Amino acid sequence: MSLQGTYDPQNIFAQIIRGDAPCYKLYEDDDVLAFLDLFPQSHGHALVVPKRSAARNILEVDPDALCKVMGVVQRLTRAIVDELNPDGVQVAQFNGAPAGQTVFHIHVHIVPRYAGQGLGIHAAQKADPAELEQLQARLVRRIDG
Ligand code: 5GP
């Protein structure tokens, strides 16, 4: 998929936003949804998406929707750092397959980094559901608290 193209309403994040597919939800308001990455590259890898934008990438997304997403990215990054104590955090966003994008509904990655630990392969290995559930509970408590 190149930068140019048509938004596919059947993409997995659109399904998650509609409630047609499950997710380990961390945060939701009228405009933004945040959930755990199912194939995490590190412990606590989370994704933040706009709910009302049929946008594949940063070129297409409405700036107001992007601002709301980034507000939640900051809030969730703080919660992740407070709860998981990583040594660093990557905040990333990919546009187009050659840039590493695999799901074509715009999203921002929050990837905690731990000293001495490499990064898992992108979108490759499914996490243990029990671990995701536990992580979800910890982070939801931290965001709400
Ligand atoms: P991208 O490669 O488009 O920047 O990121 C897509 C991300 O979505 C990847 O990190 C991948 O692991 C994650 N992902 C793919 N399918 C699913 C899914 O069904 N549920 C969740 N929660 N994450 C997914």
Side-chain angles (χ1 to χ4, degrees):
M1 273 251 208
S2 74
L3 287 176
Q4 274 72 43
T6 311
Y7 181 85
D8 174 9
Q10 292 311 319
N11 76 75
I12 185 62
F13 292 172
Q15 292 182 45
I16 288 172
I17 291 164
R18 287 197 298 270
D20 294 343
C23 73
Y24 294 88
K25 189 194 296 183
L26 299 176
Y27 173 87
E28 182 169 25
D29 62 29
D30 286 347
D31 301 293
V32 182
L33 177 67
F35 49 91
L36 289 171
D37 198 297
L38 206 51
F39 306 86
Q41 289 185 263
S42 74
H43 187 60
H45 183 170
L47 301 167
V48 185
V49 303
K51 286 166 61 178
R52 299 172 185 273
S53 284
R56 292 176 315 128
N57 56 46
I58 199 161
L59 303 174
E60 299 174 358
V61 68
D62 171 66
D64 290 341
L66 185 59
C67 284
K68 286 173 178 158
V69 164
M70 292 313 291
V72 174
V73 166
Q74 187 187 44
R75 186 169 165 191
L76 182 53
T77 301
R78 285 178 171 152
I80 287 171
V81 168
D82 287 348
E83 183 63 30
L84 303 179
N85 295 310
D87 302 295
V89 189
Q90 287 177 339
V91 173
Q93 193 272 315
F94 307 144
N95 302 282
Q101 187 174 14
T102 58
V103 177
F104 293 87
H105 178 106
I106 184 169
H107 52 280
V108 177
H109 295 259
I110 304 171
V111 185
R113 297 300 305 268
Y114 304 90
Q117 287 183 25
L119 209 54
I121 298 170
H122 185 56
Q125 198 170 353
K126 206 167 182 172
D128 172 21
E131 192 180 324
L132 291 179
E133 259 173 52
Q134 200 186 40
L135 202 46
Q136 177 192 29
R138 287 175 67 187
L139 292 174
V140 165
R141 257 200 312 274
R142 184 64 80 158
I143 294 162
D144 291 345

